[in-house]
């Protein structure tokens, strides 16, 4: 008996192999690399970046000018830019703008500054120690969903009608968000850095001071940048209730007399001060965290 006979007859209905059943891949055109403007996370040329930054400011301004020139919107509701400019100059010349701006900045510095002093150490503890996270995260996660403006009546009852309820409102509206964002930043510190520090003989306090805090500083400044904008929103709300000075109070007074040009002028001032502060914090972040 031959080897072929011993092996038996080959089945006639044998299925083709899986690889043989694959269809050929469709032919595709050669993909050209996209331009830097449309590439994902690609650095922009300086000229393109400057042009896009200018466009982001000039385009809304051009639309505003066009609506004013065409008369589509009543100037009482949307005053033209030149009228807003003159209203801002009048406020500055009378001294009201500087008085109100300083009063508003003081409230933000006290309220948000206190929130940063409290939230940053607690956030570092939450991101570094599981016990601190288990203790603080449920409460802070619950309280951050409560609208800070809803505490206004209680703050007036508890703290009176002076500056304290305004500062407390800014504090309550920013402290829990900044705490949780700080904890998230600290959790991004690579575990290998911590293990290497312990291997080299560092103690727990040294790991916190020399590894976790320096690595987290750029992210901490980013969290402050984000929540600083929330502080501006809250201070305007706080100044609408029983205030004598402040940009929010000036907006309320202008609303009573339908002085929309003054309202827009104050909004422009808030935007300029906010952007200037954001740029300063961003420059500090870039200088501190050059390694990022």
């Amino acid at each position: 008996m031959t080897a072929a006979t011993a092996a038996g007859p080959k089945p006639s209905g044998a299925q083709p192999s899986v690889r043989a059943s694959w269809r050929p891949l469709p032919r595709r055109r050669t993909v050209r690399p996209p331009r830097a403007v449309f590439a994902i996370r690609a650095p922009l040329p300086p000229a393109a970046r400057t042009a896009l930054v200018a466009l982001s400011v000039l385009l809304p301004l051009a639309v505003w000018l066009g609506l004013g020139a065409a008369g589509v919107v009543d100037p009482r509701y949307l005053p033209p830019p030149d009228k807003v400019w003159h209203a801002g100059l009048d406020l500055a010349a009378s001294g009201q703008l500087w008085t109100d701006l300083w009063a508003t900045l003081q409230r933000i510095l006290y309220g948000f500054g206190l929130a940063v002093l409290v939230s940053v150490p607690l956030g570092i503890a939450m991101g570094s120690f599981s016990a601190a996270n288990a203790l603080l995260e449920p409460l802070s996660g619950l309280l951050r969903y409560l609208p800070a403006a809803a505490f206004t009546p209680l703050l007036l009852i508890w703290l009176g009608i002076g500056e304290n309820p305004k500062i407390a409102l800014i504090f309550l509206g920013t402290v829990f968000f900044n705490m949780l964002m700080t904890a998230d930043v600290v959790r991004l510190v690579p575990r290998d850095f911590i293990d290497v520090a312990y291997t080299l003989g560092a103690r727990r306090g040294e790991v916190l001071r020399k590894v976790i805090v320096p690595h987290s500083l750029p992210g901490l400044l980013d969290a402050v940048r984000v929540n600083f904008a929330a502080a501006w929103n809250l201070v305007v709300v706080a100044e609408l209730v029983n205030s004598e000075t402040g940009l929010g109070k000036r907006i309320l007074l202008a609303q009573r007399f339908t002085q929309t040009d003054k309202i827009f002028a104050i909004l422009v001032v808030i935007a300029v001060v906010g952007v200037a502060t954001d740029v300063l914090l961003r420059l500090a972040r870039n200088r501190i965290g050059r390694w990022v």
Side-chain angles (χ1 to χ4, degrees), residues 61-198:
L61 183 60
V63 173
W64 188 7
L65 286 169
L67 291 175
V72 178
V73 183
D74 191 333
R76 292 180 300 174
Y77 305 116
L78 184 64
D82 59 336
K83 191 175 180 181
V84 172
W85 173 258
H86 290 299
L89 291 179
D90 292 339
L91 288 172
S94 65
Q96 292 178 346
L97 180 61
W98 311 117
T99 301
D100 293 332
L101 178 60
W102 176 238
T104 298
L105 286 175
Q106 280 185 306
R107 290 161 185 151
I108 292 178
L109 291 175
Y110 289 137
F112 186 61
L114 184 61
V116 171
L117 290 177
V118 172
S119 62
V120 169
L122 292 180
I124 293 174
M126 289 173 60
S128 304
F129 303 100
S130 299
N133 185 69
L135 177 65
L136 298 174
E137 197 276 335
L139 180 61
S140 58
L142 174 67
L143 293 177
R144 72 188 176 100
Y145 284 102
L146 299 178
F151 286 93
T152 302
L154 290 174
L155 293 176
L156 291 174
I157 295 173
W158 294 340
L159 303 176
I161 56 175
E163 292 295 313
N164 291 335
K166 301 176 183 62
I167 295 173
L169 181 64
I170 299 171
F171 173 82
L172 290 175
T174 56
V175 64
F176 301 111
F177 286 96
N178 206 65
M179 184 192 305
L180 293 173
M181 292 177 69
T182 299
D184 289 338
V185 169
V186 172
R187 293 190 189 102
L188 295 177
V189 177
R191 181 69 193 183
D192 293 342
F193 290 4
I194 300 174
D195 293 339
V196 169
Y198 278 129

Side-chain angles (χ1 to χ4, degrees), residues 16 27 48 63 95 140 185 194 210 217 234 236 275 278:
R27 292 186 177 181
V63 173
S140 58
V185 169
I194 300 174
K210 299 181 179 182
L217 269 180
L234 290 167
V236 172
V275 170
D278 188 84

